[in-house]
Amino acid sequence: MDLDKGATQRLAQDWNHKFPEIKLEVLPSPYRSVIQPILDYIDDIERSVDSEFVTVIIPEFITSRWYHKFLHNQTAILLWGLHKLTFTFHALRILSQIAARARR
């Protein structure tokens, strides 16, 4: 999600340096919305790849304090909740969660 142009440009440069063979997709979010642009993007991908699996990987931050989790993983929580409503109707959609330790 492109919520900060400067941060997005730095991320794209780092990504291209470390992973030149993997294309980074950055979704525009003019109203700082995260969930709907992600769901729209997944729907677009599913329409473009007929009868192939689409895997959605959601990072979940492992924080140093248990109460920090409430601050950092709101998007993951919302996407997992929407999984019950929308993803179950899509036989070729897989939702995966990956833990990542938050750096100080």
Side-chain angles (χ1 to χ4, degrees), residues 6 9 16-17 23 34 39 47 50 69 74 81 87 98:
Q9 288 176 347
N16 291 333
H17 178 71
K23 182 182 176 191
V34 176
L39 294 175
R47 282 191 288 275
D50 189 35
K69 182 174 182 154
Q74 298 305 311
F87 284 39
I98 295 179

Side-chain angles (χ1 to χ4, degrees), residues 3 34-35 38 58-80 97-104:
L3 301 175
V34 176
I35 301 299
I38 290 173
I58 302 171
E60 179 184 6
F61 294 108
I62 299 173
T63 57
S64 58
R65 307 251 190 269
W66 67 268
Y67 50 86
H68 290 172
K69 182 174 182 154
F70 300 112
L71 300 172
H72 293 287
N73 291 306
Q74 298 305 311
T75 303
I77 291 168
L78 286 171
L79 282 173
W80 274 106
Q97 196 165 10
I98 295 179
R101 185 156 307 279
R103 287 191 261 162
R104 292 182 181 202

